[in-house]
Amino acid sequence: MSAEVPPGPDNSRTSEEGAGWACGRPGSFQELLPDRVPDFSWRRPSVLWRSRNDVLARLFGDPANAIRRRCVASLRERGTPAAFTVHRPAPEFSFALVGDTGEGDRSQYAVVPPLLHATEGTDFMVIASDVIYPTGDAEDYPDKFFRPYKDYPAPIYAVPGNHDWYDGLRGFLHVFCGLDENCSPPPWRGPLAFIPRRLWRHSGAVDAEALAEARRLYRGAPGQQGAQPGPYWAIDTPALRIIGIDTGLTGRLDRDQGRWLREVSGGPKPKLLVTGKPLYVDNDHRPGPIEGGGTVDEIVQDPAHHYVAAIGGDIHNYQRYPVKTGDGRTIQYIVSGGGGAFMHATHVIPRTRAVEEDEFRCYPLRGDSLSRYSRLYGRWLRLPGLFELTPEEATAAVQHRLGIKPGRGYDGPAPSRRARFVAAVLGVPRNGRSRPRFLRLPVRRLPQRFRSELADWDRPPFFKNFLRLDVTESHLRIRCFAATGCGDHETSPPCEDDVTIPLR
């Protein structure tokens, strides 16, 4: 098994130019943008209000399991196969995977040209989590799904994320599964049930004619068609079974889906899991509870099921943890949610415990993440002279606080006091320990919806990513490519990580 990046164009581990800090020419993605680019921002009270179901689900109970059961029952009545499986006979194939795509703005479109070049010849694409922001409405699919991927020539499958669930999954099920049914939540019970009953955001209307026209206009070619059987599914091939699960609003599986997952995970064939919520992320293990008992990761770790990798979206960056199991196998746990939405910081990730630090991979590099965030907070606080760090300064500060070898080396001096202060304030842990309470300011502890607007920008480097997976009868190769937004990187995007996994 190799974790080495092959020779090729510079990437973020070899130079600042490879990271996109110095763009020779702007990206051609500007030409793909619609006439009116949505000014997407989480600062707007209307956007926050539309996203309220996430908070209600965590406070008063998540109805996603019950809604999913109703929708799956409707799919079964329509004749969907019980196994929810798509069969592909080719023993060798390739596919693209991109996560958390649908803001519909420049950062999403910046991914498209390098994606089309690096995934040329792939047989299908998978979107892992959050196809549509902010609330998964059907009316947003023309500009945030059909139009951006109009030139991808093969079918696209998806697993939903929490944002797709904010409209009860109605838009997602209509577009990907052909189900036009409002699977409303069951009534809440208890003394405070009147609160979610009154505040819960119900599914919006579905304009079937408008969606059909968008499909015809942008993705109407015969080779682009490929309906999936449900919100969770399996793609079975002779060499590898790809299994996609629906983790709902809060990362839980219902009892029926858990039973299905155990069934399709059986047998000696190697398997790859695609999930809306990653199982390892930010140096934290999140095994994924299943209604009635057990977890998703128990199923993945079971040697009888022969999983080789588990890839999740939801977190908007790239991370890879090669975790060794008790029986001597290695499972690649990957986060790949950098497909278009704002960037989640990587500099807040502690020195890793789940795997050895030199085996861990992330993109952007911690130093680049800190440099980008320092510029954002310097602008926001109007203190650029205090907060803004160059990539070299930020890398030195990360190396000092975490005690790690940086992904991109410099020969410069030790970090200044100012750089160390900014790193502490913006969330870089100290050798894995928590920072002092008075410095626990913004990046890690602020909820996503309040920090996202600070982490979204419309100029390179964007630090987005996508995957290309190539399958043969004996090996699975997973490559992570960067989407910087620079024109120099569109036809030959930097390869940030490359791992080959034996399947026999």
Side-chain angles (χ1 to χ4, degrees):
M1 187 186 307
S2 171
E4 296 299 321
V5 177
D10 278 359
N11 60 26
S12 68
R13 291 182 171 271
T14 58
S15 70
E16 290 186 10
E17 291 75 13
W21 286 112
C23 283
R25 57 188 175 88
S28 65
F29 70 90
Q30 306 277 359
E31 303 168 6
L32 305 176
L33 295 169
D35 294 335
R36 180 182 174 277
V37 180
D39 183 17
F40 187 88
S41 175
W42 290 97
R43 284 174 287 190
R44 291 184 180 146
S46 60
V47 173
L48 294 176
W49 179 245
R50 289 170 65 190
S51 306
R52 63 191 180 272
N53 283 6
D54 193 287
V55 176
L56 293 171
R58 295 176 189 279
L59 292 177
F60 300 100
D62 183 1
N65 285 344
I67 296 173
R68 187 189 300 109
R69 274 193 288 266
R70 294 182 181 188
C71 293
V72 168
S74 297
L75 287 167
R76 294 194 189 282
E77 290 175 3
R78 199 184 61 177
T80 296
F84 275 41
T85 298
V86 176
H87 295 277
R88 299 184 66 91
E92 298 190 357
F93 63 97
S94 302
F95 67 100
L97 188 145
V98 60
D100 300 79
T101 55
E103 286 190 354
D105 57 4
R106 288 175 178 83
S107 60
Q108 179 180 4
Y109 278 88
V111 179
V112 173
L115 172 73
L116 294 177
H117 281 96
T119 64
E120 184 177 1
T122 53
D123 297 277
F124 58 92
M125 183 194 298
V126 174
I127 297 179
S129 181
D130 293 340
V131 182
I132 300 295
Y133 288 97
T135 51
D137 289 300
E139 64 183 17
D140 288 331
Y141 272 86
D143 288 333
K144 297 182 179 182
F145 172 71
F146 288 113
R147 181 183 177 122
Y149 308 116
K150 62 184 178 65
D151 294 323
Y152 183 74
I156 299 177
Y157 306 99
V159 294
N162 56 310
H163 287 269
D164 301 309
W165 267 97
Y166 291 166
D167 84 326
L169 212 62
R170 189 175 185 188
F172 181 98
L173 289 171
H174 181 93
V175 169
F176 289 101
C177 307
L179 179 67
D180 189 10
E181 184 170 331
N182 188 355
C183 305
S184 57
W188 274 269
R189 306 293 183 187
L192 299 178
F194 69 94
I195 298 176
R197 280 201 298 263
R198 292 179 65 89
L199 297 182
W200 187 261
R201 181 184 186 274
H202 292 276
S203 304
V206 173
D207 188 336
E209 292 185 3
L211 290 174
E213 176 62 17
R215 189 187 298 273
R216 184 197 66 78
L217 181 63
Y218 295 123
R219 288 191 51 79
Q224 294 175 314
Q225 312 310 308
Q228 65 186 54
Y232 51 88
W233 43 262
I235 298 175
D236 200 32
T237 76
L240 179 71
R241 182 173 299 156
I242 305 159
I243 299 171
I245 59 173
D246 172 15
T247 52
L249 282 164
T250 57
R252 297 174 177 271
L253 271 62
D254 64 274
R255 185 179 290 104
D256 294 342
Q257 184 180 183
R259 184 182 307 112
W260 169 87
L261 178 60
R262 291 184 175 93
E263 291 173 355
V264 297
S265 297
K269 182 179 294 183
K271 297 169 188 74
L272 165 72
L273 184 72
V274 179
T275 168
K277 299 283 188 183
L279 302 179
Y280 278 87
V281 59
D282 294 346
N283 198 35
D284 186 28
H285 184 209
R286 304 174 186 178
I290 298 174
E291 183 183 38
T295 69
V296 173
D297 200 35
E298 286 178 4
I299 297 173
V300 170
Q301 293 263 347
D302 189 334
H305 295 154
H306 298 276
Y307 274 91
V308 297
I311 304 175
D314 188 54
I315 303 300
H316 307 162
N317 53 45
Y318 174 81
Q319 302 172 43
R320 179 167 66 83
Y321 302 82
V323 176
K324 293 179 173 59
T325 64
D327 61 338
R329 296 173 300 127
T330 297
I331 300 176
Q332 300 289 341
Y333 289 89
I334 294 174
V335 179
S336 185
F342 68 91
M343 186 192 87
H344 277 124
T346 58
H347 64 264
V348 299
I349 302 173
R351 186 169 181 162
T352 54
R353 300 184 308 272
V355 300
E356 293 296 326
E357 177 63 34
D358 60 357
E359 296 180 339
F360 169 69
R361 292 289 183 270
C362 67
Y363 177 78
L365 298 176
R366 290 180 176 101
D368 287 333
S369 172
L370 177 60
S371 179
R372 177 48 104 177
Y373 265 79
S374 75
R375 299 177 188 208
L376 293 167
Y377 276 88
R379 183 185 64 193
W380 180 55
L381 298 172
R382 299 183 180 180
L383 294 171
L386 172 63
F387 268 89
E388 292 190 5
L389 302 178
T390 67
E392 183 174 358
E393 290 175 317
T395 299
V398 168
Q399 181 180 9
H400 172 78
R401 290 191 63 81
L402 287 181
I404 62 173
K405 181 181 179 181
R408 182 172 66 245
Y410 292 96
D411 295 325
S416 65
R417 289 185 178 181
R418 181 181 69 88
R420 296 199 302 267
F421 169 79
V422 172
V425 169
L426 294 186
V428 181
R430 179 70 170 175
N431 291 330
R433 300 192 299 270
S434 299
R435 56 200 181 280
R437 187 176 298 277
F438 72 92
L439 286 179
R440 294 180 190 177
L441 181 65
V443 175
R444 193 179 186 92
R445 297 182 65 84
L446 280 181
Q448 173 179 307
R449 58 176 48 82
F450 295 116
R451 60 184 153 102
S452 58
E453 70 274 7
L454 303 178
D456 213 355
W457 54 86
D458 291 325
R459 295 188 303 274
F462 285 103
F463 294 116
K464 306 305 176 195
N465 79 275
F466 58 90
L467 306 183
R468 176 180 175 128
L469 298 92
D470 297 284
V471 182
T472 69
E473 292 183 274
S474 59
H475 290 86
L476 163 64
R477 184 184 185 188
I478 304 176
R479 282 176 284 177
C480 171
F481 290 94
T484 65
C486 297
D488 305 325
H489 293 155
E490 286 186 338
T491 57
S492 185
C495 181
E496 291 292 333
D497 195 19
D498 187 344
V499 59
T500 298
I501 306 168
L503 296 182
R504 291 182 177 175

